[in-house]
Amino acid sequence: MAECACNVIALRWEEEERINVARVNSDEKFSLVFSLSEVIETNHFVARQEELAAIHKTLGSGTGRQAVTLHGLGGMGKTQLAAAYAKAHSSDYSAILWLNIKDEDSVKQSYARIARRILREHPSTSQLVSITDESQLDESMRAVKRWLEHPKNVRWLMVFDNYDNPKTPGNTGPRVVNIQHFLPEAYHGSVIVTTRESKVNVGRRIKVGKLQDIYDSLQILSDTSHRDGVIDDPDAAELAKVLDGLPLALATAGSYLDQVATSFAHYLHLYNTSWAKLQQTSPELSSYEDRRLYSTWQLSFDHIRQQNELSAQLLQLWAYFDNQDLWFDLLQELNDCGSGWMLQLIADELSFNQAIRVLCDHGLIEVDRFSEASEIESKGYGWDPETAGLVLECVGSHVPDENTQEAWATRRQLMRHAARCSGKV
């Protein structure tokens, strides 16, 4: 009896061993060596621990397809955040695939590169046996999607980077991209999307905003300028405050200071007096897709102008106001002296709100939910004395009587606007 029991146990062990070997072989068939060769990474990724934790919590919970959309203004570090997550959690996935989805051709090219990568590591993969170097892009894409849709291939992560021209209501031009055409149909795996458009809604939406801790800003200045003592330098701290937690602006400043003997204080002077020329002559940053802060924001501006001319005009006008607290009633003071587009903008609150919504969609402004005001996160492109005078007249006309409720708070807001352009008239 004892010998019989031992034989049964031995047989069970052998069966379990065969099952484990089969499972390992199945996993290996769908495993790819971790690589981020498609991404130009920054040497020092700073902060973003809260966002990293939110991504991990979302992608690591539940069953079926899990997805996250990282949205925010260009230059906020969305790509670097996705790359940092992929590096930190590479062991959680059998394969991590990076695709550039800035347009349809780019994402199809990404799929073709993935097909070649799979075939290098698994030449006998049945879903791709017919794929050669001469295969059409659409054919390669379909083959990779079949591989991703296999019921045993469920532990992959796809990163769709630069989804900045998505098909959304109001954005239906000939060059828009519909991400649904490029996602595998099977309801498994994990997906990260990076975009400047807040209307993109693939899974959980996580906003990538400004750095809140000035230490993180100083760390970027230190890492990119390669200077000692930056963390304790009061001039560096002042520059960090002005750059307002914008990672690309901080990295641009640091890279410029790495190549010249200019002090932090003098860079701040150049920033305040010759912003556009300074940005155009700053070194390119390989870790950012659009290379320079100026070109990054210009790209957003051009896209806004295509969608809504009034939004673009409002953004340019905003350069003459302080970057906080702009509201409809204030701009209505332009009724008596504004130009045609201004009158169209403030014709009614719906027109104003529509222009605001487009700027919100591109991450350029934030609406204060507790007031009627909005705040902007960017900087103006130049000065016209006539427009500056018009803004001063607008601000002066809106000053409330001392007996008006909350008069002091309104006057304080208006003082910031007046100070912004008083020296430019």
Side-chain angles (χ1 to χ4, degrees):
M1 181 70 71
E3 184 178 351
C4 181
C6 289
N7 289 336
V8 171
I9 293 173
L11 289 172
R12 286 182 178 176
W13 281 350
E14 290 177 7
E15 179 64 21
E16 287 185 7
E17 182 64 22
R18 283 195 295 273
I19 292 172
N20 287 334
V21 169
R23 183 182 297 118
V24 170
N25 289 338
S26 175
D27 287 345
E28 287 180 350
K29 180 180 178 182
F30 298 112
S31 295
L32 296 177
V33 174
F34 175 66
S35 171
L36 288 179
S37 59
E38 302 297 318
V39 189
I40 302 175
E41 297 179 78
T42 182
N43 292 328
H44 304 279
F45 183 74
V46 172
R48 301 296 190 195
Q49 295 306 312
E50 184 177 338
E51 291 91 339
L52 286 169
I55 297 170
H56 183 55
K57 181 179 179 181
T58 301
L59 299 185
S61 61
T63 58
R65 172 79 56 81
Q66 303 299 324
V68 163
T69 294
L70 306 177
H71 67 94
L73 180 66
M76 285 296 180
K78 301 179 292 295
T79 296
Q80 298 302 325
L81 175 59
Y85 173 82
K87 289 173 65 176
H89 298 280
S90 60
S91 61
D92 296 345
Y93 301 97
S94 57
I96 295 178
L97 311 174
W98 198 280
L99 302 94
N100 187 348
I101 193 171
K102 67 178 182 180
D103 53 48
E104 288 198 357
D105 184 65
S106 294
V107 71
K108 289 179 181 180
Q109 292 284 356
S110 294
Y111 262 113
R113 284 191 291 270
I114 292 169
R116 293 192 292 270
R117 180 180 166 194
I118 295 171
L119 286 171
R120 280 198 303 270
E121 298 188 32
H122 306 288
S124 61
T125 301
S126 59
Q127 293 86 358
L128 287 89
V129 289
S130 63
I131 299 301
T132 66
D133 290 340
E134 288 74 35
S135 296
Q136 297 296 316
L137 293 179
D138 286 340
E139 184 183 355
S140 295
M141 182 178 71
R142 287 192 295 268
V144 172
K145 288 172 74 173
R146 287 195 298 270
W147 182 78
L148 292 166
E149 290 163 359
H150 193 285
K152 292 184 179 179
N153 187 10
V154 298
R155 292 180 50 241
W156 45 260
L157 168 65
M158 301 183 79
V159 180
F160 289 87
D161 193 26
N162 299 318
Y163 188 41
D164 297 328
N165 195 16
K167 183 179 181 180
T168 58
N171 187 31
T172 56
R175 296 182 61 84
V176 301
V177 183
N178 187 347
I179 195 172
Q180 298 301 325
H181 295 166
F182 301 100
L183 289 170
E185 293 182 7
Y187 190 65
H188 59 234
S190 300
V191 174
I192 296 175
V193 179
T194 73
T195 178
R196 301 180 187 189
E197 286 272 2
S198 65
K199 288 193 290 188
V200 173
N201 191 21
V202 179
R204 179 184 176 184
R205 295 165 64 250
I206 297 176
K207 181 176 180 180
V208 183
K210 297 182 293 187
L211 298 172
Q212 299 301 318
D213 191 336
I214 193 171
Y215 175 82
D216 296 331
S217 297
L218 288 169
Q219 192 63 56
I220 292 178
L221 286 175
S222 177
D223 292 341
T224 52
S225 69
H226 301 100
R227 297 190 180 191
D228 297 326
V230 173
I231 303 299
D232 300 316
D233 188 328
D235 290 330
E238 186 62 29
L239 176 60
K241 290 178 183 177
V242 171
L243 298 181
D244 200 22
L246 298 172
L248 178 52
L250 292 158
T252 298
S255 297
Y256 183 92
L257 291 165
D258 183 39
Q259 298 184 9
V260 297
T262 301
S263 66
F264 285 102
H266 188 59
Y267 181 91
L268 181 57
H269 170 73
L270 294 174
Y271 183 88
N272 287 326
T273 57
S274 307
W275 184 85
K277 185 174 182 180
L278 178 64
Q279 300 308 316
Q280 290 173 324
T281 57
S282 292
E284 292 185 348
L285 301 175
S286 61
S287 56
Y288 284 88
E289 177 74 14
D290 297 310
R291 309 303 186 186
R292 291 191 177 103
L293 180 64
Y294 186 89
S295 59
T296 295
W297 285 355
Q298 185 65 48
L299 184 65
S300 292
F301 180 77
D302 292 341
H303 197 203
I304 287 167
R305 171 159 274 166
Q306 291 171 11
Q307 290 194 28
N308 189 317
E309 179 65 27
L310 285 181
S311 297
Q313 297 281 13
L314 173 59
L315 186 61
Q316 289 182 308
L317 178 66
W318 213 320
Y320 296 86
F321 289 89
D322 183 68
N323 70 336
Q324 299 184 42
D325 301 330
L326 192 66
W327 59 98
F328 176 66
D329 287 345
L330 172 59
L331 291 186
Q332 278 202 308
E333 301 293 350
L334 295 170
N335 256 324
D336 296 330
C337 51
S339 61
W341 71 264
M342 291 182 188
L343 298 179
Q344 187 179 350
L345 174 69
I346 59 177
D348 53 65
E349 199 163 356
L350 290 175
S351 299
F352 176 76
N353 288 341
Q354 175 59 25
I356 288 289
R357 277 202 301 270
V358 173
L359 298 181
C360 286
D361 290 341
H362 287 77
L364 283 168
I365 69 170
E366 295 179 338
V367 175
D368 185 348
R369 305 297 179 187
F370 300 99
S371 75
E372 298 178 353
S374 304
E375 300 179 0
I376 194 166
E377 292 190 356
S378 64
K379 187 177 179 68
Y381 282 94
W383 289 91
D384 169 41
E386 184 177 344
T387 304
L390 189 64
V391 168
L392 271 180
E393 186 176 340
C394 169
V395 171
S397 301
H398 200 70
V399 175
D401 185 79
E402 291 183 1
N403 298 323
T404 305
Q405 187 178 11
E406 299 182 352
W408 170 242
T410 301
R411 287 187 173 195
R412 187 170 52 196
Q413 293 171 314
L414 295 174
M415 285 174 63
R416 289 199 297 265
H417 291 310
R420 167 73 174 158
C421 61
S422 58
K424 307 293 184 179
V425 178

